[in-house]
Amino acid sequence: MIGLALLAPIGAANLVLAQAPELPRLPEIKRDPQVTYVDRSGAVIGVRGGRYAPPVDLAKVPAYVPAAFVAIEDRRFYEHNGVDARGIARAVAVAIDKGRATQGASTITQQLARNLFLSQDRTLERKATEIAYALQLERTYSKKQILALYLSRVYYGSGAYGLEAAAQRYFNKPASRLTLREAAILAGVLKSPTNYNPAEATDAALARSKLVLDAMVETGAISPAQRAKALAETPRIWKTAPNAAAQYFIDWIDDQVAPVAGKVRQDVVVETTLDMPMEQAAFDAARSTVARHKAARAEQAAVVAVDGAGRVRVMVGGTDYVRAPYNRAASAKRQAGSAWKPFVYLTALEQGRLPDSPVMDEPVTIAGWTPANYTETFLGPLTLEQALAQSVNTVAARLADEAGRPNVALTARRVGIVSTVNTDPAMALGTTLVTPLEMTQAYAAFANGGNRVQAYGIERIRTRAGVTLFQKTPPTPSPAIANPPLSDLNRMLRTAVTAGTGKGAAIPGYDLAGKTGTTSDYRDAWFCGYTGGFASCAWMGRDDNSPMGRIAGGGAPAELWRTFMAGALKRVPRQQIPPGPPVTPPPAPPWEPDLTPVAAPGALPAASAPG
């Protein structure tokens, strides 16, 4: 009975052919267009859109790559006409001997027909149609074309459809650079993408690759010596996708493609501003820092880095994209804490105050609100510079009140804050809700000599043939901060890193400036900083907005920022923080800011958080 069941599809197919002198016409081979994203160096960081890539170019991969698949999946591929009668007979004989079907009899061409046109239903009718389509495929296309299309359509597990996607997912390399052992591993996956998944079932995948190499020796594709050399290799298999960190960034720019390039009707390549090595370093730093502070209820982190022209070099929106794809870098609005204070101090500097201007750390009440310092003590006489470096809350609150909170809001909007700015008294201590992206965008104006930037991630969109659909126009400098206030603020924020609450972010040998930020009950902790032409912010917190365990901006976030920046600084031009433009009156904002006087959710209470 088992043998008859295996032979039945052949009979059904013969019946189909007997009733029609010509084989049935093949349905159209459909393939939705894809959008391929590459980083600033041209490395692929992600693909969106259609599931399948273009057919593999067999001329560009080593000969042993297709040979591995043929050896294990269909060793008579080059001899049959789409259906392997000898293979079916062998499967029938084994089934009769074992009392059950243990071997498949589908050729590569049949598998392709099923993937292209049919469902996975196990019915005799579907099998008969599959055979008919396989025969027609062999009449219509060459063996090389069939094999190339097959390699591009099969599923390799972990969301990877096609050889190129699988090579990138498991080995972080193009298919053209696969080793013999790596090719054998991928060929072995097809029997069961779950049981032989290289990332999740590594031992099983490696064991099956030995069977593939044995089959390649048996078919003459490789020599025993080549097999031995391949088995001695220990391939690096990526447990998580090597471009996983970039998916937050791709989510951010994916919706921007159609508005600037029109509806995607063909494969396009989006050239982005992202620096993938830098992105990976930030992702690793975020994950490791959160892990080290898990006992203090650290749960999530975000990192953004922007150069002086607004190009987003890094956007890490969380510590695990697969489990938590929400982009905290671009979408999560959180209180900025004392990382907001530079906007307060810049406003005061623009009104004539100086870094050495005397201020007093003492009790103050504004409109019935009495802020307190984290230490619950008062330092007495200070300079403006010392007050910012030590993140003194009473001074910042009084300064904002004297300078005018609407003016502080204007300053924040002028340098890059785009969210609604509240103007209640607690605004001085960072109760406005902002994203890490816009905070980094604003700090970039401190880093680049006073020019407001608009953060962006797309440089060019082109077809695979090279036709440009969109080209980013180089941004025109937009002066937002004049001197001497800019130079004075940079001086003060340098001190915050060298001798203030931001000492944990210091990196010897670099000109750095920045500010810590911590909100009420340790719900949010920040460090935002910069060097010449490069700004970045690190945020830590919990998605449910519940308190962390005394994680302040000068602790874990400064540690995260320093870990990331220590490597990132080696990938950007080394330069001092620029002094900015010649001394001029502060420019008027060329836009109408939203200064809605709303009460900020969760405004800081009297016992304010540290800086």
Side-chain angles (χ1 to χ4, degrees), residues 405-406 409 420-425 427 432 593-601:
R405 289 185 297 279
T420 300
V421 180
N422 66 287
T423 55
D424 62 18
M427 175 264 269
T432 293
D594 180 357
L595 302 179
T596 307
V598 298

Side-chain angles (χ1 to χ4, degrees), residues 13 27 214 218 255 306 436 494 505 511 520:
D214 290 342
E218 292 171 6
D255 291 337
V306 175
R494 283 189 183 99
D511 185 18
S520 180

Side-chain angles (χ1 to χ4, degrees), residues 337-359:
S338 294
W340 182 268
K341 288 177 182 175
F343 310 138
V344 175
Y345 280 79
L346 177 58
T347 306
L349 292 168
E350 289 178 339
Q351 292 182 2
R353 291 173 175 83
L354 301 171
D356 296 323
S357 294
V359 291

